[in-house]
Amino acid sequence: MSDDPHHRGALIETAGLQLDRAHLAATTMAGGEVRRGLSLALIALRDAARSATGDDVSLNGIISRLEEAMADLEAGKLADMERLIETARTDLRA
């Protein structure tokens, strides 16, 4: 994995776009789109966290919330999942 800050920034931007996608799907209850958006966002954020120097606590926290959102989706807890996605979107853009 490259330590290039531009690459890391692109991964975070990709995650943000996928979270927008997942959030829109969650608010319209399009489960397949939610799953796809969450999966792609998690992949991008995990790659970005691995390419960070040191431990990126903020990204790790966002990743943890999104993993919880994915578990909520699998368990049918859609209201909790939507809240977690929205919180992750907000934190990523902070």
Side-chain angles (χ1 to χ4, degrees):
M1 181 58 55
S2 169
D3 288 338
D4 179 10
H6 296 291
H7 178 71
R8 183 173 181 272
L11 288 169
I12 291 172
E13 180 62 26
T14 296
L17 292 172
Q18 292 305 320
L19 287 176
D20 289 345
R21 173 187 187 173
H23 186 258
L24 176 62
T27 58
T28 60
M29 294 304 155
E33 278 298 302
V34 173
R35 183 173 286 105
R36 182 75 175 146
L38 281 175
S39 295
L40 292 173
L42 278 166
I43 289 166
L45 288 174
R46 286 174 181 147
D47 285 350
R50 277 193 297 273
S51 71
T53 55
D55 188 27
D56 193 328
V57 175
S58 63
L59 282 185
N60 289 334
I62 293 169
I63 290 167
S64 178
R65 278 191 296 283
L66 293 179
E67 288 170 339
E68 188 178 342
M70 185 68 89
D72 286 348
L73 174 63
E74 298 300 326
K77 299 179 190 174
L78 299 180
D80 292 340
M81 177 207 56
E82 191 276 332
R83 178 187 50 77
L84 289 165
I85 293 170
E86 179 57 26
T87 301
R89 287 175 66 217
T90 301
D91 290 350
L92 190 62
R93 287 179 168 71

